[in-house]
């Protein structure tokens, strides 16, 4: 599985608002990608793409990485919907 945590949020953000933002982010990712297993697959493909030339990746992994980028952008917008502008970001941590 994986966990989502909001990082570097302003100190005045209440814990409940932080948790709700994390849930919105996760829910949006899962809806966009098809569920928790698909989120993991797309995230791993994206992480691989960061360090691997496109010519060395499978077409499936390239497509998954692109889907991750789109879904993560949408999830970030949704996650921050009620928090406003800040330097905060969402961390995805894969549990081994």
């Amino acid at each position: 599985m994986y966990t989502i945590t909001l990082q570097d949020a302003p100190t005045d953000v209440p814990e409940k608002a932080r948790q709700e933002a994390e849930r919105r982010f996760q829910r949006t990712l899962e809806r966009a990608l098809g569920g928790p297993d698909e989120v993991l697959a797309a995230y791993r493909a994206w992480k691989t793409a960061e360090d691997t030339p496109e010519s060395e990746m499978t077409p499936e992994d390239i497509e998954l990485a692109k889907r991750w980028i789109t879904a993560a952008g949408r999830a970030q917008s949704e996650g921050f919907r009620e928090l406003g502008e800040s330097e905060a970001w969402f961390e995805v941590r894969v549990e081994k």
Side-chain angles (χ1 to χ4, degrees):
M1 284 306 358
Y2 67 96
T3 57
I4 304 292
T5 53
L6 182 62
Q7 302 291 323
D8 295 335
T11 56
D12 62 342
V13 173
E15 185 60 28
K16 182 176 179 173
R18 175 188 297 268
Q19 291 172 350
E20 288 172 356
E22 292 167 350
R23 279 193 294 272
R24 281 193 305 273
F25 184 89
Q26 183 171 2
R27 195 170 44 244
T28 303
L29 273 180
E30 290 180 2
R31 283 183 187 152
L33 295 169
D37 291 338
E38 289 79 6
V39 168
L40 284 171
Y43 177 76
R44 287 180 174 135
W46 174 70
K47 291 298 283 180
T48 298
E50 288 187 311
D51 301 322
T52 306
E54 187 173 335
S55 62
E56 295 179 18
M57 293 179 64
T58 67
E60 294 81 14
D61 282 344
I62 292 168
E63 180 60 30
L64 275 174
K66 288 178 180 179
R67 288 185 65 212
W68 171 265
I69 292 167
T70 300
R74 189 177 313 143
Q76 184 163 329
S77 294
E78 190 64 24
F80 285 125
R81 182 183 70 217
E82 296 175 18
L83 297 180
E85 299 269 335
S86 78
E87 296 294 318
W89 52 281
F90 290 98
E91 177 183 44
V92 178
R93 181 169 291 167
V94 176
E95 298 170 9
K96 306 214 184 224

